[in-house]
Amino acid sequence: MPRRIGRPGLLGTMARTAVIAGTAGAVNRSMERAASGRAQTQADAQAYRQQQAAPAPAPSGGGDDMLAQLDRLGQLHASGVLNDAEFAAAKAKLLA
């Protein structure tokens, strides 16, 4: 039987379509896994920042302790862990 030259037949077209569909599905699953991983990493980072930003309760009668806590809040704010609003709220809570 002579080899056909030109456009592929029905089986060739079906095979090409199957390869394209399989590749598209694999790429889609890979992108979804990557997006899920990024979302989980961002959620973990946010939870860590919230855990680190929670100020320790003020002791009942320590002036030096309050200064140390204010200094620590200032360091957290300077390093970027606390934004301006969080820093102001934590400082007000500490001074109250």
Side-chain angles (χ1 to χ4, degrees):
M1 176 179 231
R3 179 162 165 84
R4 185 173 167 175
I5 308 252
R7 295 172 46 181
L10 179 62
L11 288 178
T13 302
M14 289 175 56
R16 184 181 319 143
T17 302
V19 168
I20 291 170
T23 302
V27 168
N28 187 29
R29 284 187 300 277
S30 175
M31 290 177 68
E32 286 176 357
R33 273 195 308 271
S36 175
R38 281 191 302 271
Q40 183 63 39
T41 301
Q42 289 175 349
D44 291 345
Q46 180 67 22
Y48 178 76
R49 280 193 296 267
Q50 287 176 351
Q51 180 185 13
Q52 294 299 316
S60 58
D64 290 334
D65 241 3
M66 184 178 289
L67 288 177
Q69 288 180 353
L70 283 172
D71 186 46
R72 182 169 183 267
L73 281 176
Q75 290 172 353
L76 289 172
H77 183 252
S79 68
V81 174
L82 295 176
N83 63 26
D84 293 335
E86 292 170 336
F87 174 71
K91 185 172 78 171
K93 183 178 179 182
L94 185 63
L95 294 176

